[in-house]
Amino acid sequence: MKPQRREIVVFTPGKQYSGEVDIPNVDFRTTDLLNSTNLFWKDPADKNFDDVLLMFNVTLSIDGIREFQKFARVQIRLPNIIFFHDNLTTLGNAEEKKRAEALKAKTREEKKAIHLITQVRFNSFFEIKGSFYGLFKSKSIQRYLPLSDVVMHEMIKQPDSWKKKKIHLSNNFLGVNTKYIESCVFD
């Protein structure tokens, strides 16, 4: 039986890994997977480090080289992941969506806008604008902050100036590592 997998893209300082991760079921959110204290592994005997994401059919890209290297499988240390995104446009069954709407109404959660600046790594940093639901304080204690409606730019240091490069996301969703957030403004 072929394992259930989901395509994701993971950004680390200076690198981008595009590939697949094992998921326990198709309704499982990618953010929930990466925020879990125990990452899901189809075969736990494969695990080498305690803090890694195991990816399959991976293409490693670096600035200027789209397909720098390919791997059948690779382990990426979670503390090095700045952010990730998947290509899902919808997720969740009808019952889960109904429960989420009821919870939003009960807690009076509103959509909030946020503008983030990440720490500088090597010669760049990221400027991220997006939205989230819920209390920021409770979201910020998780490993990854889930954002929707994302517009993101990478600011790259050139010899005499900064270059602004737009980052394309397939569904305007992003999970940002809270440890990489240097500053934020709530709009």
Side-chain angles (χ1 to χ4, degrees):
M1 183 174 157
K2 187 176 178 180
Q4 292 182 332
R5 293 195 174 146
R6 175 169 301 142
E7 290 183 17
I8 68 168
V9 179
V10 172
F11 286 77
T12 65
K15 299 172 202 74
Q16 175 181 315
Y17 295 85
S18 304
E20 303 170 327
V21 293
D22 285 339
I23 55 172
N25 65 61
V26 294
D27 291 330
F28 208 76
R29 291 185 176 96
T30 309
T31 306
D32 293 340
L33 176 73
L34 271 81
N35 276 334
S36 174
T37 53
N38 298 313
L39 286 179
F40 177 77
W41 293 65
K42 202 56 127 172
D43 183 0
D46 283 340
K47 197 169 182 179
N48 288 335
F49 290 104
D50 288 336
D51 62 348
V52 297
L53 175 67
L54 179 61
M55 291 182 69
F56 301 90
N57 306 316
V58 177
T59 300
L60 170 60
S61 301
I62 57 176
D63 197 29
I65 305 174
R66 189 165 181 216
E67 294 183 359
F68 175 68
Q69 212 164 7
K70 292 193 179 270
F71 302 98
R73 46 192 280 144
V74 67
Q75 294 185 30
I76 302 170
R77 302 288 302 261
L78 291 171
N80 292 328
I81 297 173
I82 301 171
F83 53 83
F84 71 89
H85 67 87
D86 56 32
N87 60 358
L88 298 177
T89 54
T90 61
L91 185 65
N93 57 36
E95 186 177 311
E96 180 184 350
K97 289 177 184 177
K98 189 176 176 181
R99 184 184 64 79
E101 288 300 320
L103 185 60
K104 275 196 293 189
K106 181 179 177 183
T107 60
R108 296 188 188 116
E109 284 186 359
E110 294 179 9
K111 191 176 192 179
K112 296 174 185 85
I114 190 167
H115 181 178
L116 303 171
I117 303 292
T118 67
Q119 298 172 358
V120 173
R121 291 291 181 244
F122 299 110
N123 66 340
S124 71
F125 67 91
F126 295 91
E127 176 187 35
I128 304 165
K129 293 181 181 181
S131 304
F132 68 95
Y133 282 94
L135 298 173
F136 183 74
K137 196 158 198 98
S138 66
K139 299 274 185 200
S140 67
I141 62 173
Q142 296 176 342
R143 191 180 290 142
Y144 296 95
L145 175 66
L147 299 177
S148 58
D149 309 318
V150 174
V151 175
M152 180 169 58
H153 293 92
E154 182 176 15
M155 304 301 293
I156 305 164
K157 179 71 172 149
Q158 303 292 311
D160 295 328
S161 64
W162 287 89
K163 174 184 162 193
K164 189 173 187 175
K165 175 182 163 188
K166 184 168 175 124
I167 305 293
H168 173 75
L169 303 173
S170 57
N171 63 0
N172 297 328
F173 162 79
L174 193 70
V176 181
N177 187 331
T178 55
K179 297 210 184 297
Y180 277 91
I181 297 171
E182 180 174 277
S183 63
C184 66
V185 175
F186 298 96
D187 297 327

